[in-house]
Amino acid sequence: MSSSTQFSPVIQQLHSRKSTPYSISILKVPRLLLLPPISLNCSRIHLNFKVKAQVLENHHEGGIDDSPASVELQPISGESQFDRIIADAQQVDESVVILWMANWCRKCIYLKPKLEKLAADYFPRTRFYSVDVNNVPHKLVVRAGVTKMPTVQLWRDGKKQAEVIGGNKAYLVVSEVRDMIENEDNL
């Protein structure tokens, strides 16, 4: 670096370091970007890798797996909708998993996407829903017996069969919910 050019201390420190075979000096990067064959080849490799990764994600022994990676928890906004969901599930002999949460609850917010991934494993035989306790009548929350957030309940045949209160780490709660679903026949 010449003495007439002023660089910040961070740049000066980076320039003074000896480069290893695995590092590229910041001052050399613009020169590399001017070379079209290198950048073109890198983008092709990156695109090829992305396509192959997507194919591998969806591939299993029986062929291409078209099941979703996650299933969004459908919101329940009132008592009539709750009653209709429970009745419909009872008619088709399905189970319903409901996450009782609050939009101010950090554990609830963190748990929800993990339950959406779990929902994909049981789709379509088990339906997953969420209820924001601040957006439904308190009567519904009391009727369901919810006292803490997050609470995950399993409903079958019009009745609450089991529940998990999510005070633990999310991966433990998801494991307990998975066990609850797997063991529903023993309830």
Side-chain angles (χ1 to χ4, degrees), residues 9-22:
V10 174
I11 299 294
Q12 289 174 358
Q13 186 180 13
L14 284 173
H15 184 66
S16 66
R17 291 184 186 167
K18 293 183 179 181
S19 43
T20 64
Y22 302 107

Side-chain angles (χ1 to χ4, degrees), residues 32-93:
L32 288 176
L33 293 177
L34 295 176
L35 299 173
I38 293 173
S39 62
L40 186 61
N41 288 338
C42 290
S43 64
R44 284 184 187 155
I45 292 169
H46 180 69
L47 289 175
N48 271 343
F49 178 73
K50 268 182 133 174
V51 170
K52 288 178 184 176
Q54 288 173 347
V55 169
L56 289 175
E57 281 178 2
N58 293 332
H59 185 269
H60 62 85
E61 291 177 21
I64 299 294
D65 183 9
D66 59 351
S67 63
S70 69
V71 175
E72 186 175 327
L73 302 183
Q74 297 300 311
I76 297 176
S77 57
E79 277 188 89
S80 59
Q81 183 185 10
F82 177 82
D83 292 336
R84 186 173 56 252
I85 288 169
I86 298 299
D88 290 349
Q90 187 175 0
Q91 284 181 347
V92 293
D93 197 33

Side-chain angles (χ1 to χ4, degrees), residues 2-178:
S2 68
S3 60
S4 64
T5 308
Q6 295 294 321
F7 291 100
S8 73
V10 174
I11 299 294
Q12 289 174 358
Q13 186 180 13
L14 284 173
H15 184 66
S16 66
R17 291 184 186 167
K18 293 183 179 181
S19 43
T20 64
Y22 302 107
S23 68
I24 298 174
S25 170
I26 287 180
L27 300 174
K28 293 180 185 175
V29 171
R31 290 185 202 127
L32 288 176
L33 293 177
L34 295 176
L35 299 173
I38 293 173
S39 62
L40 186 61
N41 288 338
C42 290
S43 64
R44 284 184 187 155
I45 292 169
H46 180 69
L47 289 175
N48 271 343
F49 178 73
K50 268 182 133 174
V51 170
K52 288 178 184 176
Q54 288 173 347
V55 169
L56 289 175
E57 281 178 2
N58 293 332
H59 185 269
H60 62 85
E61 291 177 21
I64 299 294
D65 183 9
D66 59 351
S67 63
S70 69
V71 175
E72 186 175 327
L73 302 183
Q74 297 300 311
I76 297 176
S77 57
E79 277 188 89
S80 59
Q81 183 185 10
F82 177 82
D83 292 336
R84 186 173 56 252
I85 288 169
I86 298 299
D88 290 349
Q90 187 175 0
Q91 284 181 347
V92 293
D93 197 33
E94 286 181 347
S95 298
V96 175
V97 175
I98 301 175
L99 168 64
W100 297 83
M101 60 178 283
N103 59 5
W104 47 261
C105 170
R106 283 187 183 192
K107 288 186 179 185
C108 303
I109 294 167
Y110 189 72
L111 179 63
K112 188 175 178 184
K114 294 178 179 12
L115 285 176
E116 289 173 339
K117 286 183 181 179
L118 179 69
D121 294 345
Y122 294 98
F123 181 82
R125 70 178 174 105
T126 302
R127 303 293 177 166
F128 283 68
Y129 296 90
S130 68
V131 178
D132 187 338
V133 297
N134 295 322
N135 295 334
V136 296
H138 185 66
K139 180 180 172 186
L140 177 60
V141 177
V142 171
R143 188 173 119 198
V146 175
T147 57
K148 296 179 181 175
M149 296 325 129
T151 296
V152 183
Q153 295 179 334
L154 175 72
W155 289 73
R156 185 160 183 90
D157 299 326
K159 299 176 195 162
K160 178 175 65 173
Q161 301 294 324
E163 75 178 3
V164 174
I165 297 176
N168 295 325
K169 296 189 185 255
Y171 73 92
L172 294 172
V173 174
V174 169
S175 176
E176 289 179 36
V177 171
R178 183 181 301 277

